[in-house]
Amino acid sequence: MKKAGAPLLLSLLLSASPVAGLAAEADSACGGLTFNNGRLTTGQPLEAKGPRTEACLREVAEAVKARPAIRGLTVAAKLPDAERLNGQGLAVAKAAAEVLVNAGVPRTRVSFVAPPADANTPGHLQLAYVERPTQVAVARLRTASGQVTASTGEGQPTPRLAGDALYAGELVATDDTGRAELSLADGSLLFVSPRSAVRLGTLELTAERQRKVLLDLVKGTVETQAAPGGTGSTFEVRTRGAVAGVRGTRFRVSQQEDGTSRVETLEGKVALGAEAGSVDVDAGFGSRARPGQAPEAPRALLAAPVLERPRGGTYPKAPSLVWKAVPGAKVYRVELGATADFAGGVKVQESANPTVDAAVAPGAGKWFWRVLAVDADGFVGYPSKIFSFDVAG
């Protein structure tokens, strides 16, 4: 066996456990893929080379990248002796391996061999894989909108969909319009805002309901609704310069580009700790820790705006949205969603005044809206009640 771009090595390929197969698609160059007990089979015979073979190998690469448990992939070029000897077979296998590498499979995970083929069998490629022991998912993606990806330290980010399992060590990221809601294994919920990235760390549970949860917020903002835990439980969200330790149930954590960490506690209590000190942040308060400094004394969060109109009704076009001003607000964040949980397709507008044109609502249908007030330092207050309106078709 030979690593792509490395000296020749001989080893045995061992399978760990089966992986569910992929259904064949009419437009698939492979005719479908099936992962089973270490063998990756294609719905159509995989010729040794050619445009269709390269297209199929690129499909294989995408399927492998979406399965973090797969740690090694071997390409075997099984050719007649006349085409295999004098290094010809290895050259074919290496070329196939390079297609996988160029499609994003880490080079260190791709090997190639050229074993003897059956005398009367046409030349073809065979694929095999090794996977690590089955991991227990630490979270599941409940809802996703916009671009939501997940990646490990070695792999490229791959798009994820609602229902996908997520594992310890994966980095979940959203783009400018992306939003994700994660259901953690302990029953907690994690809401990932646009332009954010959070790495899933430790998540341990015991029969006594004691838990240990550790999340690393790389950038952006997450809001957590922590499930109750037993005595001695810990739930921490770490940023570059601080740790938010949960003693309550609902809070937000933000990691700013300058390294400042910010906490906003909506329910319960959160301990915000940095190298230079720590502070308890009760419900209705927020605090921040600048790089190298102790957390600031907690400040009161802004109250929830009171929405005035619309509070229902049908309109020929999207109406203006109006609410009462909140003392201390520098800007208002207005969210329009197609569902009352604001899980997907959310449109966000900002306004310095307590009114905004809702024309961003894309077309006819029912729309839900809410408003949050933001102070001069970026602390986000409580969300308003949610109201809806309909736009006639």
Side-chain angles (χ1 to χ4, degrees), residues 345-360:
V346 178
K347 305 295 181 180
V348 180
Q349 290 179 276
E350 290 191 349
S351 174
N353 301 307
T355 183
V356 73
D357 185 356
V360 295

Side-chain angles (χ1 to χ4, degrees), residues 186 237 302 322 351:
D186 73 327
V237 180
L302 297 181
V322 182
S351 174

Side-chain angles (χ1 to χ4, degrees), residues 279-293:
V279 66
D280 285 342
V281 186
D282 292 318
F285 289 82
S287 178
R288 64 183 175 184
R290 299 180 186 275
Q293 299 180 18

Side-chain angles (χ1 to χ4, degrees), residues 116-160:
D118 296 334
N120 298 320
T121 302
H124 63 284
L125 299 180
Q126 287 185 345
L127 302 170
Y129 63 92
V130 174
E131 63 180 345
R132 60 190 169 197
T134 302
Q135 283 186 293
V136 176
V138 299
R140 190 168 297 277
L141 194 57
R142 288 187 63 182
T143 63
S145 64
Q147 180 79 1
V148 179
T149 63
S151 62
T152 59
E154 298 177 350
Q156 293 295 316
T158 57
R160 294 303 175 90

Side-chain angles (χ1 to χ4, degrees), residues 1 171 190 246 284 291 392:
M1 186 180 296
L171 180 70
L190 183 71
V246 181

